[in-house]
Amino acid sequence: MALLDRCAEVAQQPGSGITVKGVGCHGPCSDGPLFSVACGDEVRLISVQSSSASELAMELQEALSRGSLREWVPRGCRSLDPQSPFLALQRRIVLERCGQIDPEDLSDAESAGAYQQLNAVLAANNPEAVIDLVRRSGLRGRGGAGYPTGLKWATVAAMPGAEKRLVCNADEGDPGAFMDRTILEGDPHSVLEGMAIAAFAVGAQHGFIYIRAEYPLAIARLRRAIAQAQQQGWLGTTIAGSRFSFDLELRVGAGAYVCGEETALIHSIEGQRGVPRPRPPYPAEHGVFGLPTLINNVETYANIPVLHRLGLERYGVGTKVFSLTGHVSRSGVIEVPIGTSLRTIVETMAGGPPDHKPIKAVQTGGPSGGCIPAAALDTPVDYDSLQALGTIMGSGGMVVMDSTTNMVDVAAYFMAFSREESCGKCIPCRTGTVQLELLLRKLLARKATVADLEQLERLSETVRDASLCGLGQSAPKPVLSTLRHFRADYLALLQPLEASR
Amino acid sequence: MSVCTLRIDDQDVAIAAGSTVLQAIRSAAIAVPTLCHLDGLSPVGACRLCLVEVEGSERLLAACVTTVQDGMRIHTNSSRLQEMRRTLIELLFSEGNHICAICVANGQCELQDLAVRVGMDHSRFSYRYPNRCVDLSHPQFGLDHNRCILCTRCVRVCDEVEGAHVWDVGWRGEHCQIISGLAEPWGAVEACTNCGKCIEVCPTGALFHKGEGTDEKHGHPGRLAALVQGRSRQELEP
């Protein structure tokens, strides 16, 4: 913030000819802190290495007195090569405005195209056409399960009754996942616009954004964005002069991972204890306060305006935003076309492990997902290919692990997470996760026998098959997928006597 | 009223549309274990003991919350389900402190009966021996958390039938606990009407009348159904 303030002071001097603004995340976390310099169409990312805010402001002043900023690279800084794979292989359509616009300034977002698609949709006044477009685009839910978005919208639209509700699930809780946060902090209006279009399409009058309390900056920016959009008439009554009205309110979670599960999320919005309930009835039929409710994830909504802007052909197969972490040379948030191979993402773009150790596995989908072995790195990243490997696309967390990683350790980490986050409603998840973690710890302490390993596998299957909600059903996935692809890691941890049996 | 015909194990069953699979199973006199379910209370599908296999569905479905559909083919007692039920019962025993010999419900306990029924002679999982307390602050009743299996029957009967909503679930996961009021001692909760319905529906010895021994301790789950039915026909004052 000091850098922003100092540079803004420079820009305010008469005749500086530049504007300085705060923007959301640029993407390459490992190169941060970052700022960008835009001259005409040319945008360069500059990584601050060792200079202070006041030094940078002085350099800016000097550069301005010399003339253009086109070649400017301050001392103690490094200009990122726009042709580097991390940047060049991305297709930023959802994240297009992230890092470009000031997320706290609606007029800046508007000048970059925000709310134009909502305006066009309201002018065309054809909700069926909107749903049809979403259906034909093949867009699938970006929150994890990958349910076809168009089908969900059509179901809610077809529900009887005049009152309907819309929910945006911004309870991003997977360890190593920060895609939705990037969108919300960098371009909140894209989500609001997507929600307004969705509300128009399904006939909802009121919406909720359910966001985790651990995202204070995203909450502050969303609050501001909602207030500005209301003031500007993009939310509220008779939006853009049409007969369509849509109100939006923010609900902040209280730190429970399970509230990302849609029925628990609904309970939480209603002010009840955030525990899941059996489905059916699905939220499309019986959602918030018993009304038909459309629930989509942040990134799904953020796809809607860009889908309308590009049209089916140019939108193509669409993109997925991933957050890359773990043993990689370059980490951060990237957006790539669906179907990009894992190898391209983790080796070419992220540069593989920093000290050239071989990759052992890539974890996707958080505690609900699994580990993909290095041998399967050529798999295209799409919903069905990942499912076939025993993991899920998930919300987009991608953790790369090198050869020093013990996969039993990884499984134990995720099991401890699920154990901690289990709501406790159903027995298999409440107690099964405890016993599974105990078995994994026993293995790690080299005290386990072959019988323990068998029990681990059997109990994993029971918890998967018997649990009430998605959290419990997928809690054993990190165990089952590592057992499937890395059984040797488990066998090596058996008691010395047992391993030879 | 339309009727659905379904096949459960090797029996053909006809039952009114809108019924649950559990009702259909019971109408065919097939034994499927339940713990959280109780006629007269809203279903929660939490204990997972009534999971059944439905042909054409990959997932196991909880019979208590699944509505019958015409032509359904249901299996209630496959070896997979038997093994699963035994595992669930063992998990219940491992997470609490269930010591039958010193329990007021010994011989009258649904958990104990189920353990016998599923053939559990020991738990294959390590016992947790959690440090749980006993609340004896109520003048007439007691609550022993060591014996609680979190079926939430007491929560629901107090809320839905008595209308007092004394009980709730506090915390989460393995730390879940039944709480009275705002996690106060039961005796300090003014909302409690001392009706004793929670004692009657408790499947174990977690909730009990003070002064009762194993000879006197009897659950009365049938009374609840009679009460709810009577109210719905307006035979009884609510």
Coordinates of all heavy atoms in Angstrom, one line a residue, chain A residues 399-470:
Chain A
V399 N -1.7 -29.1 -6.3 CA -0.5 -29.1 -5.5 C 0.5 -30.1 -6.1 O 0.2 -31.3 -6.3 CB -0.8 -29.5 -4.1 CG1 0.4 -29.4 -3.2 CG2 -1.9 -28.6 -3.5
V400 N 1.7 -29.6 -6.5 CA 2.7 -30.5 -7.1 C 3.6 -31.0 -6.1 O 4.1 -30.2 -5.2 CB 3.5 -29.6 -8.2 CG1 4.5 -30.5 -8.9 CG2 2.5 -29.1 -9.2
M401 N 3.9 -32.3 -6.1 CA 4.8 -32.9 -5.1 C 6.0 -33.6 -5.8 O 5.8 -34.3 -6.7 CB 4.0 -33.9 -4.3 CG 3.0 -33.1 -3.4 SD 1.8 -34.2 -2.6 CE 0.6 -34.4 -3.9
D402 N 7.2 -33.3 -5.3 CA 8.4 -34.0 -5.9 C 8.7 -35.3 -5.2 O 7.9 -35.8 -4.3 CB 9.6 -33.0 -5.9 CG 10.1 -32.8 -4.5 OD1 9.8 -33.6 -3.5 OD2 10.8 -31.8 -4.2
S403 N 9.8 -35.9 -5.7 CA 10.1 -37.3 -5.3 C 10.4 -37.4 -3.8 O 10.4 -38.6 -3.3 CB 11.3 -37.8 -6.1 OG 12.3 -36.9 -5.9
T404 N 10.6 -36.3 -3.0 CA 10.8 -36.5 -1.6 C 9.5 -36.7 -0.8 O 9.6 -36.9 0.4 CB 11.5 -35.2 -1.1 OG1 10.7 -34.1 -1.3 CG2 12.9 -35.0 -1.7
T405 N 8.4 -36.6 -1.5 CA 7.1 -36.6 -0.8 C 6.7 -38.1 -0.5 O 6.8 -38.9 -1.3 CB 6.0 -36.0 -1.6 OG1 6.5 -34.8 -2.2 CG2 4.8 -35.7 -0.8
N406 N 6.3 -38.3 0.8 CA 5.7 -39.6 1.1 C 4.2 -39.5 1.0 O 3.6 -38.6 1.6 CB 6.1 -40.0 2.5 CG 5.6 -41.4 2.9 OD1 4.5 -41.8 2.5 ND2 6.4 -42.1 3.6
M407 N 3.6 -40.3 0.1 CA 2.2 -40.1 -0.1 C 1.3 -40.5 1.0 O 0.2 -40.1 1.1 CB 1.8 -41.0 -1.4 CG 2.6 -40.6 -2.6 SD 2.7 -38.9 -3.0 CE 1.1 -38.6 -3.6
V408 N 1.8 -41.3 1.9 CA 1.0 -41.7 3.1 C 0.9 -40.4 4.0 O -0.1 -40.1 4.6 CB 1.7 -42.8 3.9 CG1 0.8 -43.2 5.1 CG2 1.9 -44.0 3.0
D409 N 2.0 -39.6 4.0 CA 2.0 -38.4 4.7 C 0.9 -37.4 4.2 O 0.2 -36.8 4.9 CB 3.4 -37.7 4.5 CG 4.0 -37.2 5.8 OD1 3.3 -37.3 6.8 OD2 5.1 -36.7 5.8
V410 N 0.8 -37.4 2.8 CA -0.1 -36.5 2.2 C -1.5 -37.0 2.5 O -2.4 -36.2 2.9 CB 0.1 -36.6 0.6 CG1 -1.0 -35.8 -0.1 CG2 1.5 -36.1 0.3
A411 N -1.8 -38.3 2.5 CA -3.1 -38.8 2.8 C -3.5 -38.5 4.2 O -4.6 -38.1 4.5 CB -3.1 -40.3 2.5
A412 N -2.5 -38.6 5.1 CA -2.7 -38.4 6.5 C -3.1 -36.9 6.8 O -3.9 -36.5 7.5 CB -1.5 -38.7 7.4
Y413 N -2.4 -36.0 6.0 CA -2.7 -34.6 6.1 C -4.1 -34.3 5.7 O -4.8 -33.6 6.5 CB -1.7 -33.8 5.2 CG -2.2 -32.3 5.1 CD1 -1.9 -31.4 6.0 CD2 -2.9 -31.9 4.0 CE1 -2.3 -30.1 5.9 CE2 -3.4 -30.6 3.8 CZ -3.1 -29.7 4.8 OH -3.6 -28.4 4.7
F414 N -4.5 -34.8 4.6 CA -5.9 -34.5 4.2 C -6.9 -35.2 5.1 O -8.0 -34.7 5.3 CB -6.1 -35.0 2.7 CG -5.5 -34.0 1.7 CD1 -4.4 -34.3 1.0 CD2 -6.1 -32.7 1.6 CE1 -3.9 -33.4 0.1 CE2 -5.6 -31.8 0.7 CZ -4.5 -32.1 -0.1
M415 N -6.6 -36.4 5.6 CA -7.5 -37.1 6.5 C -7.7 -36.3 7.8 O -8.8 -36.1 8.3 CB -7.1 -38.5 6.8 CG -8.1 -39.4 7.4 SD -9.7 -39.4 6.5 CE -9.2 -40.2 5.0
A416 N -6.6 -35.7 8.3 CA -6.7 -34.9 9.5 C -7.6 -33.6 9.2 O -8.3 -33.2 10.1 CB -5.3 -34.4 9.9
F417 N -7.5 -33.1 8.0 CA -8.3 -32.0 7.6 C -9.8 -32.4 7.6 O -10.6 -31.7 8.2 CB -7.9 -31.5 6.2 CG -8.7 -30.3 5.7 CD1 -8.2 -29.0 6.0 CD2 -9.8 -30.5 5.0 CE1 -9.0 -27.9 5.5 CE2 -10.6 -29.4 4.5 CZ -10.1 -28.1 4.8
S418 N -10.1 -33.5 7.0 CA -11.5 -34.0 6.9 C -12.0 -34.3 8.3 O -13.2 -34.0 8.6 CB -11.7 -35.2 6.0 OG -11.4 -34.9 4.7
R419 N -11.2 -34.9 9.2 CA -11.6 -35.2 10.5 C -11.9 -33.9 11.3 O -13.0 -33.8 12.0 CB -10.4 -35.9 11.2 CG -10.6 -36.1 12.7 CD -9.3 -36.7 13.3 NE -9.4 -36.9 14.7 CZ -8.5 -37.5 15.5 NH1 -7.4 -37.9 14.9 NH2 -8.7 -37.6 16.8
E420 N -11.1 -32.9 11.1 CA -11.3 -31.6 11.8 C -12.6 -31.0 11.3 O -13.3 -30.3 12.0 CB -10.1 -30.7 11.5 CG -10.2 -29.3 12.0 CD -10.2 -29.2 13.5 OE1 -9.6 -30.1 14.2 OE2 -10.9 -28.3 14.1
E421 N -12.9 -31.1 10.0 CA -14.0 -30.4 9.4 C -15.3 -31.2 9.3 O -16.3 -30.6 8.9 CB -13.6 -29.9 8.0 CG -12.4 -28.9 8.0 CD -12.8 -27.6 8.7 OE1 -14.0 -27.3 8.8 OE2 -11.9 -26.9 9.1
S422 N -15.3 -32.4 9.7 CA -16.5 -33.2 9.7 C -17.5 -32.5 10.6 O -17.2 -32.1 11.7 CB -16.2 -34.6 10.2 OG -17.4 -35.3 10.5
C423 N -18.8 -32.4 10.1 CA -19.8 -31.7 11.0 C -20.2 -32.6 12.1 O -20.7 -32.1 13.1 CB -20.9 -31.3 10.1 SG -22.1 -32.6 9.7
G424 N -20.1 -33.9 12.0 CA -20.4 -34.8 13.0 C -21.9 -35.4 13.0 O -22.3 -36.1 13.9
K425 N -22.6 -35.1 11.9 CA -23.9 -35.5 11.8 C -24.0 -37.0 11.6 O -24.8 -37.7 12.3 CB -24.7 -34.8 10.7 CG -26.1 -35.2 10.6 CD -26.9 -34.3 9.6 CE -28.3 -34.7 9.5 NZ -29.1 -33.8 8.6
C426 N -23.3 -37.6 10.6 CA -23.4 -39.0 10.4 C -22.2 -39.8 10.9 O -21.1 -39.3 10.9 CB -23.7 -39.3 8.9 SG -22.2 -39.1 7.8
I427 N -22.4 -41.0 11.3 CA -21.4 -41.8 12.0 C -20.2 -42.1 11.1 O -19.1 -41.9 11.6 CB -22.0 -43.1 12.5 CG1 -23.1 -42.9 13.5 CG2 -21.0 -44.0 13.1 CD1 -24.1 -44.0 13.6
P428 N -20.4 -42.5 9.8 CA -19.2 -42.9 9.1 C -18.2 -41.8 9.0 O -17.0 -42.0 9.1 CB -19.7 -43.4 7.7 CG -21.1 -43.0 7.7 CD -21.6 -42.8 9.1
C429 N -18.6 -40.6 8.7 CA -17.7 -39.5 8.6 C -17.2 -39.0 9.9 O -16.0 -38.8 10.1 CB -18.4 -38.3 7.8 SG -17.4 -36.8 7.7
R430 N -18.1 -38.9 10.9 CA -17.7 -38.4 12.2 C -16.6 -39.3 12.9 O -15.6 -38.8 13.4 CB -18.9 -38.3 13.1 CG -18.6 -37.8 14.5 CD -19.9 -37.7 15.3 NE -20.4 -39.0 15.8 CZ -21.7 -39.4 15.7 NH1 -22.6 -38.6 15.2 NH2 -22.1 -40.5 16.2
T431 N -16.8 -40.6 12.8 CA -15.9 -41.5 13.5 C -14.9 -42.2 12.5 O -13.8 -42.5 12.9 CB -16.7 -42.5 14.3 OG1 -17.6 -41.8 15.1 CG2 -15.8 -43.3 15.2
G432 N -15.4 -42.4 11.3 CA -14.6 -43.1 10.3 C -13.3 -42.3 10.0 O -12.2 -42.9 9.9
T433 N -13.5 -41.0 9.9 CA -12.3 -40.1 9.6 C -11.3 -40.2 10.7 O -10.1 -40.2 10.5 CB -12.7 -38.7 9.3 OG1 -13.5 -38.2 10.4 CG2 -13.4 -38.5 8.0
V434 N -11.8 -40.3 12.0 CA -10.9 -40.4 13.1 C -10.1 -41.7 13.0 O -8.8 -41.7 13.1 CB -11.7 -40.4 14.4 CG1 -10.8 -40.6 15.6 CG2 -12.4 -39.1 14.6
Q435 N -10.8 -42.8 12.8 CA -10.1 -44.1 12.7 C -9.2 -44.2 11.5 O -8.1 -44.8 11.6 CB -11.1 -45.2 12.7 CG -12.0 -45.4 13.9 CD -11.2 -45.9 15.1 OE1 -10.1 -46.4 15.0 NE2 -11.7 -45.7 16.3
L436 N -9.6 -43.6 10.4 CA -8.7 -43.6 9.2 C -7.4 -42.8 9.5 O -6.3 -43.3 9.2 CB -9.4 -43.0 8.0 CG -10.5 -43.9 7.4 CD1 -11.2 -43.1 6.3 CD2 -9.8 -45.1 6.8
E437 N -7.5 -41.7 10.2 CA -6.3 -41.0 10.5 C -5.4 -41.7 11.5 O -4.2 -41.8 11.3 CB -6.6 -39.6 11.1 CG -5.4 -38.7 11.0 CD -5.4 -37.5 11.9 OE1 -6.4 -37.1 12.4 OE2 -4.2 -37.0 12.2
L438 N -6.0 -42.4 12.4 CA -5.3 -43.2 13.4 C -4.5 -44.3 12.7 O -3.3 -44.6 12.9 CB -6.2 -43.8 14.4 CG -6.8 -42.9 15.5 CD1 -7.7 -43.7 16.4 CD2 -5.7 -42.2 16.3
L439 N -5.2 -44.9 11.7 CA -4.5 -46.0 10.9 C -3.3 -45.5 10.1 O -2.3 -46.1 10.1 CB -5.5 -46.7 10.0 CG -6.5 -47.7 10.7 CD1 -7.6 -48.0 9.8 CD2 -5.8 -48.9 11.2
L440 N -3.5 -44.3 9.5 CA -2.5 -43.7 8.7 C -1.3 -43.3 9.6 O -0.1 -43.5 9.3 CB -3.0 -42.4 8.0 CG -3.9 -42.8 6.8 CD1 -4.7 -41.5 6.4 CD2 -3.2 -43.3 5.6
R441 N -1.6 -42.8 10.8 CA -0.5 -42.4 11.8 C 0.2 -43.6 12.2 O 1.4 -43.6 12.5 CB -1.1 -41.6 13.0 CG -1.8 -40.3 12.6 CD -0.8 -39.2 12.4 NE -1.5 -38.0 11.9 CZ -1.0 -37.2 11.0 NH1 0.2 -37.4 10.5 NH2 -1.7 -36.2 10.6
K442 N -0.5 -44.7 12.4 CA 0.1 -46.0 12.8 C 1.1 -46.4 11.8 O 2.2 -46.9 12.1 CB -1.0 -47.0 13.0 CG -0.6 -48.2 13.8 CD -1.8 -49.1 14.1 CE -1.4 -50.4 14.8 NZ -2.5 -51.3 15.0
L443 N 0.7 -46.3 10.5 CA 1.6 -46.6 9.4 C 2.8 -45.8 9.4 O 3.9 -46.3 9.3 CB 0.8 -46.4 8.1 CG 0.1 -47.6 7.4 CD1 -0.9 -47.1 6.4 CD2 1.1 -48.5 6.7
L444 N 2.6 -44.4 9.6 CA 3.7 -43.5 9.6 C 4.7 -43.8 10.7 O 5.9 -43.5 10.6 CB 3.2 -42.1 9.6 CG 2.6 -41.6 8.3 CD1 1.9 -40.3 8.5 CD2 3.7 -41.5 7.2
A445 N 4.1 -44.3 11.8 CA 5.0 -44.7 13.0 C 5.6 -46.1 12.8 O 6.3 -46.6 13.7 CB 4.2 -44.6 14.3
R446 N 5.4 -46.7 11.6 CA 6.0 -48.0 11.3 C 5.5 -49.1 12.3 O 6.2 -50.0 12.7 CB 7.5 -48.0 11.3 CG 8.0 -47.1 10.2 CD 9.5 -47.1 10.1 NE 10.0 -46.3 9.0 CZ 10.2 -46.9 7.8 NH1 9.9 -48.1 7.5 NH2 10.6 -46.1 6.8
K447 N 4.3 -48.9 12.7 CA 3.7 -49.9 13.7 C 2.6 -50.7 13.1 O 1.9 -51.5 13.8 CB 3.2 -49.2 14.9 CG 4.3 -48.7 15.8 CD 3.8 -48.0 17.1 CE 5.0 -47.6 17.9 NZ 4.6 -46.5 18.9
A448 N 2.3 -50.5 11.8 CA 1.1 -51.1 11.2 C 1.5 -52.4 10.6 O 2.6 -52.7 10.2 CB 0.6 -50.2 10.1
T449 N 0.4 -53.3 10.6 CA 0.6 -54.6 10.0 C -0.2 -54.7 8.7 O -0.9 -53.8 8.3 CB 0.0 -55.7 10.9 OG1 -1.4 -55.4 11.1 CG2 0.7 -55.7 12.3
V450 N -0.1 -55.8 8.0 CA -0.8 -56.0 6.8 C -2.3 -55.9 7.1 O -3.1 -55.4 6.3 CB -0.5 -57.4 6.1 CG1 -1.4 -57.7 5.0 CG2 1.0 -57.4 5.7
A451 N -2.7 -56.4 8.2 CA -4.1 -56.4 8.6 C -4.6 -54.9 8.7 O -5.7 -54.6 8.4 CB -4.4 -57.1 9.9
D452 N -3.7 -54.0 9.3 CA -4.1 -52.6 9.4 C -4.3 -52.0 8.0 O -5.2 -51.2 7.8 CB -3.0 -51.9 10.1 CG -3.0 -52.2 11.6 OD1 -4.0 -52.4 12.2 OD2 -1.9 -52.4 12.2
L453 N -3.4 -52.4 7.1 CA -3.6 -51.9 5.7 C -4.9 -52.3 5.1 O -5.6 -51.5 4.5 CB -2.4 -52.3 4.9 CG -2.2 -51.7 3.6 CD1 -2.0 -50.2 3.7 CD2 -0.9 -52.2 2.9
E454 N -5.2 -53.6 5.3 CA -6.5 -54.0 4.8 C -7.7 -53.3 5.4 O -8.6 -52.9 4.8 CB -6.7 -55.5 5.1 CG -6.0 -56.4 4.1 CD -5.9 -57.9 4.5 OE1 -6.7 -58.3 5.4 OE2 -5.1 -58.6 4.0
Q455 N -7.5 -53.1 6.7 CA -8.6 -52.3 7.4 C -8.7 -50.9 6.9 O -9.8 -50.4 6.7 CB -8.4 -52.3 8.9 CG -9.6 -51.8 9.7 CD -9.4 -51.9 11.2 OE1 -8.4 -51.5 11.7 NE2 -10.4 -52.4 11.9
L456 N -7.6 -50.3 6.6 CA -7.6 -48.9 6.1 C -8.4 -48.9 4.8 O -9.2 -48.0 4.6 CB -6.1 -48.5 5.9 CG -5.9 -47.1 5.2 CD1 -6.2 -46.0 6.3 CD2 -4.5 -47.0 4.7
E457 N -8.1 -49.9 4.0 CA -8.8 -49.9 2.6 C -10.3 -50.1 2.8 O -11.1 -49.5 2.2 CB -8.1 -51.0 1.8 CG -8.3 -50.8 0.3 CD -7.2 -51.5 -0.5 OE1 -6.4 -52.2 0.1 OE2 -7.2 -51.3 -1.7
R458 N -10.6 -51.1 3.6 CA -12.0 -51.5 3.8 C -12.8 -50.3 4.4 O -13.9 -50.0 4.0 CB -12.2 -52.7 4.7 CG -12.3 -54.0 3.9 CD -13.0 -55.1 4.7 NE -12.5 -55.1 6.1 CZ -11.5 -55.8 6.6 NH1 -10.9 -56.6 5.7 NH2 -11.2 -55.8 7.8
L459 N -12.2 -49.7 5.5 CA -12.9 -48.6 6.1 C -13.0 -47.4 5.2 O -14.1 -46.7 5.2 CB -12.2 -48.2 7.4 CG -12.8 -47.1 8.2 CD1 -14.3 -47.5 8.6 CD2 -12.0 -46.8 9.5
S460 N -12.0 -47.2 4.4 CA -12.1 -46.1 3.4 C -13.3 -46.3 2.5 O -14.1 -45.4 2.2 CB -10.9 -46.0 2.5 OG -9.8 -45.6 3.3
E461 N -13.5 -47.5 2.0 CA -14.7 -47.8 1.2 C -16.0 -47.6 1.9 O -16.9 -47.1 1.3 CB -14.6 -49.2 0.6 CG -13.5 -49.3 -0.5 CD -13.1 -50.8 -0.8 OE1 -13.6 -51.7 -0.2 OE2 -12.1 -50.9 -1.6
T462 N -16.0 -48.0 3.2 CA -17.3 -47.9 3.9 C -17.6 -46.4 4.1 O -18.7 -46.0 3.9 CB -17.1 -48.5 5.3 OG1 -16.9 -49.9 5.1 CG2 -18.4 -48.3 6.2
V463 N -16.6 -45.6 4.5 CA -16.8 -44.2 4.7 C -17.3 -43.5 3.4 O -18.2 -42.7 3.3 CB -15.6 -43.4 5.2 CG1 -15.8 -41.9 5.3 CG2 -15.2 -44.0 6.6
R464 N -16.7 -43.9 2.3 CA -17.1 -43.4 1.0 C -18.5 -43.8 0.6 O -19.3 -42.9 0.2 CB -16.1 -44.0 -0.1 CG -16.5 -43.6 -1.5 CD -15.7 -44.4 -2.5 NE -16.2 -45.8 -2.5 CZ -15.5 -46.8 -3.0 NH1 -14.3 -46.6 -3.7 NH2 -15.9 -48.0 -2.9
D465 N -18.9 -45.0 0.9 CA -20.2 -45.5 0.5 C -21.3 -45.1 1.4 O -22.5 -45.0 1.0 CB -20.2 -47.0 0.3 CG -19.3 -47.4 -0.8 OD1 -18.9 -46.6 -1.6 OD2 -18.9 -48.6 -0.8
A466 N -21.0 -44.9 2.7 CA -22.1 -44.8 3.7 C -22.3 -43.3 4.2 O -23.3 -43.0 4.8 CB -21.7 -45.7 4.9
S467 N -21.4 -42.4 3.9 CA -21.5 -41.1 4.4 C -22.7 -40.3 3.8 O -23.1 -40.6 2.7 CB -20.2 -40.3 4.2 OG -19.2 -40.8 5.1
L468 N -23.1 -39.3 4.5 CA -24.3 -38.6 4.1 C -24.1 -37.6 3.0 O -24.8 -37.5 2.1 CB -24.9 -37.9 5.3 CG -26.4 -37.3 5.2 CD1 -27.0 -37.2 6.6 CD2 -26.4 -36.0 4.5
C469 N -23.0 -36.8 3.1 CA -22.8 -35.8 2.2 C -21.5 -35.9 1.4 O -20.7 -36.8 1.7 CB -22.8 -34.4 2.8 SG -21.3 -33.9 3.6
G470 N -21.2 -35.0 0.5 CA -20.0 -35.1 -0.3 C -18.7 -35.0 0.5 O -17.8 -35.6 0.1

